[in-house]
Every structure is written in C-alpha cells, then in structure tokens.
C-alpha cells in the first residue's frame, strides 16, 4: 500500500510537472508568511495523515493480515479511494489538455457524479489505511485515529474543496450550465446511478 501511495504521489507530481505549475501556489509563493504557513501545514498534513499507518507499521503487536474484518473493509476503502483518485485526476488532466476546454468546467466521467471525486478518493483511501491499522493499535497509538478526520477537515474546510468551490463559483457565476451542475452534482460523495 505504501508503494501504491508513493506511485500516486508520483502521478500527481508528474501532472504538476507536465502542466508546469500548480495554480494554487501562484499568489501564495509571493507572500513569505503565507507560503511558510502553507509549507508547514503541508508537512503537518503529511505527518498527521500517515500517522495511523506509521503507528501500525512500528507497533509491537503482530496480527496476520486479513485476520480481522477491518483489514478487508479497510483494504476495500483504500482500493476504492485510490482508483477513484487516479481515475479522477487522469480524467481532469485529459480534459485540461484539450484547448477547447480552457474556459470550461469538467462535468464528465467521475466529475459528472461528484464535483470533487479526487478529494473523495483521497479521504477514502486514508480512511482505509486507518481501518487496516486499527487492529494493531493500542494505548496512545489510538490518537493516530485522528488521521482520516484531519484529512476530511483539511480537504473540505481549509484547502481543496473550499478553495476550488470558491474559485469555480467566482469564475462561472454567470454560467447557467455551471449553476445547474452545482444544483445536481454532489460536492464530495459521488452520486451513484441506480436504475
């Protein structure tokens, strides 16, 4: 799982490298204190996010993999989250690579079911890792269960969703199709099409 998480990080890095920038940092990097805060918050984010997995790896308690139901549930969450995030990022990259979409919003593929499927995937995969970690955690290690809560709050209230939503609402405030998209598409949890 750690290797797959590293591959996902590499995929996201390559996307930023290919595009030549990460627009979220355009203004931020010109303001020292804001950039320092963001950089520090990023380090804290990485540490707190992975703390349940690190605690499990370093735990003295040995449990056979898949001997606990939480292992299977956690792995299922991780797979769903990972696949969702990779597909969503790939779809967005393809959408942005088409010059005709320069001033359009993405509302196809997973983006038709959720306005932020990539963040849904990120939250879900870390929840999965935390669930898989739970059977070997004890005592103070249980504090690390804050990991998925931290990821959820950070991605929905501080960074990610809140920033993207504000930018999109400002950019497409007069776009009727976007207003319809806002009304009919859940912000985070994908709408399942059931017939």
């Amino acid at each position: 799982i750690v290797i797959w998480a590293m591959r996902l990080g590499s995929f996201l890095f390559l996307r930023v490298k290919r595009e030549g920038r990460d627009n979220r940092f355009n203004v931020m990097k010109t303001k020292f204190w804001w950039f320092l805060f963001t950089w520090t918050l990023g380090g804290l984010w990485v540490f707190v996010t992975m703390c349940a997995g690190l605690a499990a790896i370093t735990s003295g308690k040995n449990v056979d993999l898949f001997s606990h139901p939480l292992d299977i549930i956690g792995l299922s969450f991780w797979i769903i989250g990972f696949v969702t995030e990779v597909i969503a990022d790939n779809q967005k990259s393809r959408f942005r690579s088409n010059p005709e979409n320069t001033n359009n919003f993405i509302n196809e593929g997973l983006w038709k079911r959720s306005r932020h499927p990539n963040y849904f995937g990120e939250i879900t995969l870390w929840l999965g890792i935390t669930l898989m970690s739970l059977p070997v955690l004890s005592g103070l290690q249980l504090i690390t269960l804050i990991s998925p809560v931290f990821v959820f709050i950070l991605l929905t209230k501080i960074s990610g969703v809140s920033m993207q939503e504000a930018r999109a609402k400002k950019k497409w405030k007069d776009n009727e199709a976007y207003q319809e998209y806002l009304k009919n598409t859940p912000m985070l949890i994908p709408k399942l099409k059931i017939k």
Side-chain angles (χ1 to χ4, degrees):
I1 289 174
V2 172
I3 291 169
W4 281 103
M6 290 169 59
R7 286 183 181 167
L8 175 62
S10 298
F11 174 78
L12 297 174
F13 170 77
L14 291 174
R15 183 189 60 167
V16 171
K17 186 175 180 186
R18 184 176 53 247
E19 292 178 10
R21 67 190 179 289
D22 186 336
N23 289 331
R24 295 172 293 182
F25 291 99
N26 286 349
V27 174
M28 202 179 302
K29 66 185 176 187
T30 64
K31 304 195 184 285
F32 176 77
W33 292 110
W34 188 9
F35 189 67
L36 178 65
F37 171 76
T38 304
W39 185 263
T40 305
L41 185 63
L44 177 66
W45 179 349
V46 169
F47 177 73
V48 174
T49 299
M50 60 191 276
C51 66
L54 287 174
I57 290 168
T58 59
S59 174
K61 186 176 178 183
N62 290 324
V63 177
D64 290 336
L65 192 59
F66 304 121
S67 64
H68 197 282
L70 283 177
D71 293 338
I72 296 166
I73 294 167
L75 182 61
S76 299
F77 271 62
W78 184 87
I79 290 169
I80 290 167
F82 181 78
V83 168
T84 301
E85 188 169 6
V86 168
I87 290 172
D89 281 338
N90 191 24
Q91 288 173 343
K92 194 168 192 177
S93 292
R94 268 187 293 151
F95 181 83
R96 285 184 173 170
S97 70
N98 183 347
E100 294 176 12
N101 294 327
T102 301
N103 292 315
N104 295 326
F105 62 95
I106 183 170
N107 64 346
E108 55 191 45
L110 291 176
W111 300 86
K112 193 174 192 170
R113 310 230 172 264
S114 167
R115 297 196 310 263
H116 304 282
N118 53 342
Y119 295 133
F120 170 77
E122 180 81 10
I123 292 165
T124 304
L125 76 85
W126 286 109
L127 176 60
I129 289 173
T130 302
L131 289 173
M132 286 187 290
S133 302
L134 190 56
V136 298
L137 301 179
S138 62
L140 288 176
Q141 292 174 327
L142 293 172
I143 294 170
T144 65
L145 297 179
I146 193 71
S147 169
V149 175
F150 178 78
V151 171
F152 177 80
I153 291 170
L154 195 60
L155 285 179
T156 59
K157 304 296 182 197
I158 299 170
S159 177
V161 171
S162 61
M163 289 173 68
Q164 295 290 328
E165 286 283 304
R167 194 175 310 131
K169 286 176 182 175
K170 183 178 178 183
K171 184 174 184 177
W172 294 299
K173 66 182 175 190
D174 298 325
N175 184 319
E176 287 181 33
Y178 182 73
Q179 298 308 316
E180 197 64 29
Y181 178 69
L182 282 177
K183 286 181 202 169
N184 298 318
T185 310
M187 185 170 60
L188 191 64
I189 299 173
K191 176 174 57 176
L192 299 177
K193 188 176 183 180
I194 300 172
K195 289 187 177 186

